[in-house]
Amino acid sequence: MIAYKAEMAGIRVEWVNPTYTSQTCQCGHREKANRNGIRFRCQRCGYTLHADLNGAINIAKAISGFAV
Ligand SMILES: [Zn+2]
């Protein structure tokens, strides 16, 4: 079940575009400088978390219809 979900997520990642999702903040600000290695820090609002986690959140939003 987990492998099945991961496979589904992998397909979705390609559709959503992982580059943009990992650079986009929850406030809607998207900037290349937001991502620095594994760290995500929004240049506008200062929101900070793990970059891959942020990307995963944005992908989840895109899949569920809450895309920015
Ligand atoms: Zn922000």
Side-chain angles (χ1 to χ4, degrees):
M1 190 60 185
I2 293 170
Y4 172 74
K5 285 185 176 178
E7 185 177 2
M8 290 294 291
I11 293 166
R12 300 285 184 154
V13 167
E14 291 185 351
W15 289 352
V16 173
N17 189 333
T19 303
Y20 288 151
T21 58
S22 65
Q23 294 172 2
T24 304
C25 178
Q26 62 176 3
C27 75
H29 181 63
R30 187 173 73 200
E31 185 179 333
K32 191 174 182 182
N34 279 356
R35 176 154 192 179
N36 182 14
I38 64 166
R39 298 286 293 176
F40 176 91
R41 186 176 190 283
C42 180
Q43 301 299 301
R44 188 168 77 179
C45 74
Y47 181 65
T48 303
L49 79 170
H50 192 289
D52 288 338
L53 176 57
N54 185 59
I57 290 169
N58 285 323
I59 291 164
K61 286 179 181 176
I63 291 170
S64 61
F66 292 103
V68 290

